[in-house]
Amino acid sequence: MKSSKIIIGLLSAAAVAIVACKPKSTSNAVSGDAASKVYVAPGKYDEFYNFVSGGFSGQLSVYGLPSGRLLRVIPVFSMDPEKGWGFSEETKPMLNTSHGFVPWDDLHHVEMSMTDGIADGKWAFVNGNNTPRLARVDLTTFRTAEIIELPNSGGNHSSPFGTENSEYIVAGTRFSVPSDANSDVSIESYKENFKGHISFVSVDKESGEMNIAFQLKTPGVNFDLARTGKGKSHGWFFFSTYNTEQANTLQEVNASQKDKDFIMAVNWKKAEEYIKAGKGAKQKVKYAHNVFDEHTHTATSVIKDEVTVLDVAEYPDIVYFIPCPKSPHGCDVDPTGEYIVGSGKLAALLPVFSFDKIQKAIADKAFESETYSGIPVIKYEAALYGEVQKPGLGPLHTEFDANGNAYTSFFVSSEVVKWNVKDLQVLDRQPTFYSVGHLMVPGGNTKKPLGKYLVAYNKITKDRYLPTGPELSQSAQLYDISGEKMQLILDFPTIGEPHYAQAVAAELIKDKQVKIFDINKNAHAFVAKGEAETKVERIGNQVHVYLTTVRSHLSPDKIEGVQLGDNVYFHVTNLEQDWDVPHGFAIKGASNGELLVMPGETTTLKWTPDRIGIFPMYCTDFCSALHQEMSGYVRVSPKGSNVPISYGLGDKMTTVKK
Amino acid sequence: MNTSMKKAVIAIAGFSLTAAVLVSCGGGSSSGQTKSTARETSETLTTDDYDPNRGEGKFDESNVEAGALNMAMAEKGEAISGTKCLSCHKLSDEKLVGPGWEGVTERRSLHWIMNFITNPDPMIDKDPEVQAQLELCLVRMPNQNLADEEAREIVEFMRKNDGVK
Ligand SMILES: [Cu+2]
């Protein structure tokens, strides 16, 4: 009986899959109570914060669930004129790399900091895929606090996944490349010279500061995603790999030859022991480490030059390969830490591996007769718990609820599928619109999933919203998973391309928010703590303006004595000490951007005037009824002019004697 | 207790005070701006127990005392005011953004000032005199996040400014 039901289910799945090439009909039933389930009344708060990758926008977006309201876009890897990110002198160092200033990246995944395998609401980690970087976002300020570049890497995709207590956040290279130190080699020599590198980035429990503790050097393959072990499997990490064919061209065909690629199981506790014992080679590399200091309100970028590398071929008890069908994307560990689900994106089944069996296989040396580049390969059957047969087409990624169920996204057949981890039976399937990539359940990657909702992040939008020309915003879909059947209750548009996302209960974060920066603690080198400290100083061809803002005037608001050829630095201190009273700052002709200065903060705009004349400056953020009056003038004279530096506000003018 | 009755009483009191405050806020240089962030007076005066002589907050006669001037405190208060207040207030009777501070410790009780500067938002909504000031200044007195101690030091500085010895 049971099996015949499944076959029928499959049949209908196949039918759906065929239609999926064309957008499915939008008229798919959304039942009557959907609206009330997502309605968050004016003035009321959402239940969850949902941190969603901004994909090729390079930013991290924050939505409320269940409403789908956009709460914030946090600039991370890309410049953002709205917030002055990458435009102010203080934030420019955050986008520094060993390649210089790189003002954009491709942000794919989000990982909340963890304590005991549960999100603790301190930080969100995100990856920069293009110029390999890892960033830490502070969840008391919703700002990027730190960015670290990753050497020996080419595309930081298998990142930023963290261990149970965020001991490490990993960063696995998507594209294997030769080591940085020896990289002028023929592309044809891939098999010989190209290597995978997985960075284990340690995180300070208190400050959050990140450090590349060590890198594992692996055979050259592509690393896709990863997950930490938990509970009994704490101490292990699992990475999905593809292109184990080691193709260096036409990967679309050449990296899909084999029936199975690998899930790579890493005993990171072992690796840690070797590092503590002084093992591993110190390599000369170059990478940027950028930190934003909340007291000086200023970022610094340091170029570091060394990393410790453990070649896993030399330490045979760190790494084991487990065969996994067809280019796995997700490799996800269930809340108990026992089951590891491989989602082979070109496979027609979902293998579920058992941690206990993997341990036994290692103990019994149940390995294939041939190693893979010297690494033992565990026999598929020896690691396998079971397979979910014909679950759908193109499985990508799996998360879990608290009741022993798993939810897997299927890209090709555009659906989310609920199945039971123990008996591997499919329980429900619902279409997505269209071509879902990652999905997420609040806490669905942790030891204690919160369940309740599932969000599908789709790659194709088509007809879901009012059309906006050739380009459409991306689309997320919210499902209520509290019942036996999943129920689609909301569509909402997202920025960039949302890859992965995570959600945490609002209570974990909302009461910890920084509302203002204490002006008494402001340690910026150019702060003006009060109007009495405002001034204009010339140092050679630099003019430093110590400027303050308060509702609703700039001090000073009259400045003369600037000359063509000067670089003018407006150090703007916002004297307000009340929540949600930022002031903006802009000056005509500024070739970079504006500033948005939070209460108690100092931020600097560099301006190089290009002509003689009078330049208005003003506050860009509507701050009070007299906001339109919040403005001033700067006079620019020819080079060598005898107009002295002078500045003032109201009837008070100060002239600097030459 | 009939709330609407009380409301009416307060509104009248507020109205009659407007003239007095007009002077204290000085010349009223509101450049033709009529837009105000103030909420409608009648809507916000809903509290039964707002005492305009005390204000709203932690302070009253019992915990704010005025003895001889404490110079050390006044000096600290001057420094804090420099950072957090004097961009909007002059020490004379002239209006800048808010009213000049000259005479403020005579116009107001010390605990009213303490309450107002540590807890301005509800008082702006409820205090008829402050509402009248707002109509002239058009800027809401901001919460500058003062510690109680800092607030008391500023009050000491205000007393010094008013000639207390
Ligand atoms: Cu402003």
Side-chain angles (χ1 to χ4, degrees), chain A residues 516 519-520 529-531 550-551 553 575-578 624-626 629, chain B residues 31 33 35 82-84 87-88 97 137-139 142-145 150:
Chain A
I516 59 156
I519 187 143
N520 294 320
K529 293 189 184 178
E531 288 184 358
V550 79
R551 281 164 282 176
H553 58 274
L575 296 176
E576 309 275 357
Q577 291 288 275
D578 200 359
S624 82
L626 294 164
E629 283 71 10
Chain B
S31 52
Q33 284 264 3
K35 210 168 160 194
T83 306
K84 293 192 168 180
S87 50
C88 291
V97 179
C137 301
L138 295 173
V139 173
N143 184 334
Q144 289 292 71
N145 264 285
E150 290 178 316

Side-chain angles (χ1 to χ4, degrees), chain A residues 552 582-584 619 621 623 627 630:
Chain A
S552 286
H583 288 285
C619 167
D621 187 330
C623 52
H627 162 77
M630 191 162 178

